[in-house]
Amino acid sequence: MTLAATAPAPFAKVSVIGLGLLGGSVARAVRARMPGVHVTGYDASADVRARAAQIDLADTIAQTPREAVAEAGLVIFCVPVGAMGAAAATLAPYLPADCVISDVGSSKASVLKALGEALPGHALVPAHPVAGTEQSGPDAGFATLFVGRWCILTPPEGTPHEAVARVSAFWEGLGAKVEMMEAAHHDLVLAVTSHLPHLIAYTIVGTASDLEEVTQSEVIKYSAGGFRDFTRIAASDPTMWRDVFLNNRDAVLAMLQVFTEDLTELQKAIRKGDGEALFDHFTRTRAIRRSIIQMGQDDARPDFGRSDHKPA
Ligand SMILES: NC(=O)c1ccc[n+]([C@@H]2O[C@H](COP(=O)([O-])OP(=O)(O)OC[C@H]3O[C@@H](n4cnc5c(N)ncnc54)[C@H](O)[C@@H]3O)[C@@H](O)[C@H]2O)c1
Ligand SMILES: O=C(O)C(=O)C[C@]1(C(=O)O)C=C[C@@H](O)C=C1
């Protein structure tokens, strides 16, 4: 597939810090869609750096923090949200004064704080591409991950407009649709649409496994449909998701409270045999699913974003 660039690249040299699913996808996408842009990749893990070099993930695989950001116009942190501050502090002494800082973290308020504290004086344009899979590591990424997906930017007040415009153009160049949001609002929205669903998947798969003794292994044997869908999400990276829940604690707990109350309502309807309440609820949720598909926001497009159907 040809992925030709349609506009001039907003940065001549991009440093990708963290070469897992997201960093690997950013590196691949830049190389596929922004010819002439130099991509430098760096990872704290020597094993990941070695693998990234083996699979030619970037133009340069840096071996030191200094080399990682040399002459960078954009430095984009693709590490777990709990590691953002440490990663930034390691690179701080070597950053070009005029480089723009961004990231791809799944929560934004704590990342904004961590990056801001570690890198005072740098233009900071945090980003969250709302696209991913349950896979991790340097082999997991792919160049088309961001195509047609939202990328939410949460620049703090006072960020130079030019830096925001260039990061916005960067994500559009990778095929994403860009939206601006305040970091705290982002964290509330994503708590509902991404973090809570993951927590529920982690719970249901754990519960089903605990019940295996009761059901004599039939849970695994007959797992299909709904349960199987949950197991995909529950296979997501433990470090990444531990960090998301610790870093977006308040929003997740607030949404979990609402969810628990709604679950109790459904439990009550089942106990009381209130078929009308159940039917009405399921009718409403079916309409929501259908409207998501109509808006083109469904990632169940065949072969899209699924590890078992990874695009070439
Ligand atoms: N996985 C998804 O679906 C998804 C989607 C959108 C955003 N994100 C966000 O993207 C970020 C990366 O997630 P991922 O799925 O690519 O994880 P990943 O585990 O595939 O990769 C993370 C990489 O970061 C490296 N790393 C950790 N600490 C580091 C440090 N201090 N300095 C340099 N490298 C370091 C690790 O060695 C690893 O290679 C996270 O913040 C996550 O919240 C993930
Ligand atoms: O499809 C998946 O596997 C994902 O979980 C991707 C997903 C999501 O919840 O939508 C996960 C975390 C991100 O921060 C963004 C995207």
Side-chain angles (χ1 to χ4, degrees), residues 22 104-107 128-135 149 186 190 193-195 197-198 232-233 236 240-241 244 299 305-306:
L22 263 287
V104 296
S106 301
S107 67
H128 179 198
V130 188
T133 75
E134 74 281 17
Q135 303 293 335
R149 310 307 298 270
H186 165 280
L190 270 291
T193 59
S194 175
H195 306 169
H198 277 78
R232 185 189 76 80
I233 293 182
S236 299
M240 169 189 160
W241 284 99
V244 168
D299 81 339
R306 299 294 162 104

Side-chain angles (χ1 to χ4, degrees), residues 4 81 198 295:
V81 290
H198 277 78
M295 284 184 340

